[in-house]
């Protein structure tokens, strides 16, 4: 990509599996400078492959062939070493602790080609382009309910929110959680898993309650071709 700034981080090691995922984060820090400083601080022991600033500037911190330290204790579709299997992208945003706000247009316009390029080069399926909260629901909220997942989905860079032919399967709460686990989530904390699912696929109401709409959305996602707006 043109205009990328190399900002090397010392925080990486060797992968133990091929890349099959992209994990999107927000930085959760006041500004890009403080986020870059932390991601490149050897004492912090955190990093990502890329950082996308609010003005659209992209920093490359860790080579894609290496394992960056962005996901922490995470799980997705049977993968427990998410760092080894993923490319991590940090998106500058203060986050829920420092004044969460919408992501600027320039930032998303820079993120989209970056995600597309990584997806194509590694043959990543759109179901494996996820948020940090999807892979660590008990610990994380990012990139959060303001992230424009629908825009990425229209470009086949994420799964769409199902909107067509929705039908409530009438599962019990336990049945919903079994289905959620089958879809990919870690469900040992049922409330956190439900909240993470809502944040990703029903962001206008994140209440942790398993209702008919949640069941219908999840059922549709488990079908071979989720029917959304894309």
């Amino acid at each position: 990509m043109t205009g990328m700034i190399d900002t090397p981080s010392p925080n990486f090691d060797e992968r133990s599996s091929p890349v099959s995922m992209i994990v999107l984060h927000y930085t959760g820090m006041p500004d890009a400078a403080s986020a870059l400083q932390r991601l490149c601080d050897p004492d912090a022991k955190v990093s990502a492959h890329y950082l996308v600033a609010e003005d659209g500037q992209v920093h490359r911190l860790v080579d894609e062939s290496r394992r960056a330290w962005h996901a922490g204790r995470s799980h997705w579709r049977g993968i427990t070493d998410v760092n080894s299997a993923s490319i991590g992208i940090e998106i500058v945003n203060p986050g829920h602790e420092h004044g969460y706000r919408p992501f600027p247009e320039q930032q998303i316009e820079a993120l989209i080609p970056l995600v597309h390029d990584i997806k194509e080069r590694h043959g990543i399926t759109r179901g494996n382009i996820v948020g940090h909260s999807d892979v660590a629901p008990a610990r994380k909220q990012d990139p959060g309910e303001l992230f424009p997942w629908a825009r990425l989905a229209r470009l086949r860079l994420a799964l769409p929110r199902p909107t067509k032919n929705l039908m409530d399967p009438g599962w019990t709460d336990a049945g919903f959680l079994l289905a959620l686990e089958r879809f990919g989530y870690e469900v040992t904390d049922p409330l956190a898993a439900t909240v993470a699912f809502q944040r990703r696929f029903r962001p206008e109401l994140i209440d942790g309650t398993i209702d008919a709409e949640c069941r219908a959305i999840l059922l549709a996602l488990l079908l071979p071709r989720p029917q959304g707006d894309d």
Side-chain angles (χ1 to χ4, degrees):
M1 290 180 59
T2 57
M4 191 175 291
I5 297 176
D6 278 307
T7 311
S9 170
N11 300 333
F12 62 85
D13 53 13
E14 298 304 310
R15 291 189 183 278
S16 61
S17 57
V19 172
S20 61
M21 300 175 60
I22 298 172
V23 181
L24 302 181
H25 307 252
Y26 64 41
T27 51
M29 298 188 75
D31 53 41
S34 54
L36 281 169
Q37 183 176 11
R38 177 168 166 76
L39 291 165
C40 295
D41 178 358
D43 293 330
K45 293 183 167 54
V46 293
S47 60
H49 293 92
Y50 300 97
L51 176 140
V52 182
E54 289 182 307
D55 62 2
Q57 184 63 64
V58 179
H59 293 258
R60 177 167 43 211
L61 283 69
V62 173
D63 189 274
E64 288 184 17
S65 66
R66 301 291 192 258
R67 177 181 180 270
W69 305 337
H70 58 94
R73 192 174 66 257
S74 303
H75 171 100
W76 185 253
R77 295 186 169 175
I79 295 170
T80 53
D81 184 355
V82 171
N83 281 337
S84 271
S86 66
I87 301 293
I89 303 176
E90 289 278 359
I91 306 161
V92 173
N93 187 292
H96 290 83
E97 289 184 28
H98 298 287
Y100 189 45
R101 58 186 182 229
F103 297 82
E105 178 64 21
Q106 308 98 289
Q107 190 174 39
I108 299 304
E109 284 187 356
L111 177 69
I112 282 171
L114 177 63
V115 171
H116 179 268
D117 183 47
I118 295 166
K119 177 182 186 286
E120 291 301 306
R121 281 188 291 103
H122 293 281
I124 298 169
T125 65
R126 58 185 180 156
N128 274 357
I129 300 175
V130 295
H132 200 187
S133 59
D134 295 315
V135 301
R139 299 188 299 114
K140 296 294 178 179
Q141 297 178 289
D142 56 313
E145 59 277 5
L146 298 178
F147 184 75
W149 284 110
R151 185 161 167 190
L152 270 67
R154 284 193 292 274
L155 298 168
R156 301 189 71 77
L157 300 179
L159 284 176
R161 170 183 179 161
T163 55
K164 299 168 187 166
N165 306 318
L166 293 180
M167 182 186 70
D168 178 6
W171 294 321
T172 61
D173 286 4
F176 174 85
L177 291 167
L178 279 171
L180 196 58
E181 186 173 42
R182 182 180 163 207
F183 181 63
Y185 284 85
E186 168 67 66
V187 298
T188 49
D189 183 332
L191 177 61
T194 303
V195 166
F197 175 76
Q198 290 173 339
R199 181 170 275 117
R200 172 72 177 78
F201 290 105
R202 211 259 317 262
E204 70 276 8
L205 179 57
I206 306 169
D207 60 2
T209 300
I210 298 168
D211 58 22
E213 187 175 36
C214 289
R215 292 189 296 265
I217 289 171
L218 180 55
L219 173 65
L221 285 166
L222 287 166
L223 295 175
R225 288 181 59 83
Q227 298 274 300
D229 296 326
D230 63 333

